[in-house]
Amino acid sequence: RIKNAVNGLNTILTEFLSLGKLEEGRITASPAPMALPECIHEVHQELRTLFRTGQKLDYQHSGPEMVKLDGSILKNILINLISNGIKYSGENATIWLTTAVAEHKMLLTIRDEGIGIPYEDQKHLFDRFFRATNATNIHGTGLGLYIVKRYVSMMNGSIHFESTPEAGSTFFLEFELPEND
């Protein structure tokens, strides 16, 4: 319980610090060559203590492994989306993560087996401080997806999702890659 409480407080502090830096314009994207599978592995290792009994991350990649993106911002996006998948899914659930690089684009998909997002709440999902009506008993600030959307936009990407209540959510991200990569 102590570990969970510390992780929860750390998440809250990180979100508020990230929000402050974003709003002050102190965060900018600095694309650099990075190995995508290595980035995913590092995030997975960082989050391994959050996984509930039997939960696992299933990662698949296709295409070139090297991409030119801001690795730090991408890690923050992944940490938020994967930890949401963990938080909103039950024991023995799988979080599927796929990355694909082709034709100067990187596609990233994260799917969980969680509680899903009520249809009437979906239009507000990326709003600041918004919490879905079925998430009131699960810790969170309502800032994570707001910050993720800002980060994705900062990297000239796009994000959208599909969700069915009681059947999970899938987030789709797309990033343009420079042509010389």
Side-chain angles (χ1 to χ4, degrees), residues 29-178:
S30 300
M34 60 172 283
L36 200 50
E38 185 179 311
C39 174
I40 304 294
H41 177 73
E42 289 172 11
V43 169
H44 185 213
Q45 290 305 305
E46 189 172 327
L47 296 177
R48 71 181 186 277
T49 60
L50 300 181
F51 282 84
R52 296 181 193 183
T53 304
Q55 283 185 335
K56 65 179 182 175
L57 178 69
D58 183 309
Y59 174 58
Q60 302 292 320
H61 175 78
S62 64
E65 293 185 357
M66 293 300 292
V67 295
K68 189 172 184 181
L69 288 170
D70 186 309
S72 178
I73 293 176
L74 183 61
K75 280 184 182 180
N76 288 335
I77 291 168
L78 288 165
I79 287 168
N80 184 280
L81 293 175
I82 294 169
S83 63
N84 278 356
I86 294 166
K87 181 169 40 173
Y88 294 110
S89 298
E91 292 184 352
N92 302 311
T94 300
I95 292 101
W96 287 271
L97 171 58
T98 60
T99 52
V101 177
E103 298 182 23
H104 310 296
K105 289 186 182 186
M106 194 273 282
L107 306 173
L108 187 148
T109 305
I110 296 180
R111 179 170 59 99
D112 66 47
E113 298 175 332
I115 61 175
I117 302 151
Y119 295 116
E120 60 275 7
D121 291 344
Q122 291 185 13
K123 64 182 172 268
H124 301 292
L125 195 63
F126 295 108
D127 293 353
R128 178 196 279 198
F129 297 115
F130 178 76
R131 303 284 322 276
T133 54
N134 62 343
T136 55
N137 293 328
I138 301 170
H139 73 82
T141 62
L143 287 173
L145 291 175
Y146 172 79
I147 292 170
V148 163
K149 185 168 177 103
R150 296 273 309 259
Y151 280 149
V152 170
S153 295
M154 184 181 294
M155 294 192 348
N156 298 315
S158 63
I159 182 170
H160 68 279
F161 70 95
E162 295 174 358
S163 185
T164 303
E166 302 303 321
S169 301
T170 305
F171 287 83
F172 306 92
L173 290 78
E174 182 176 319
F175 299 96
E176 296 288 329
L177 299 173

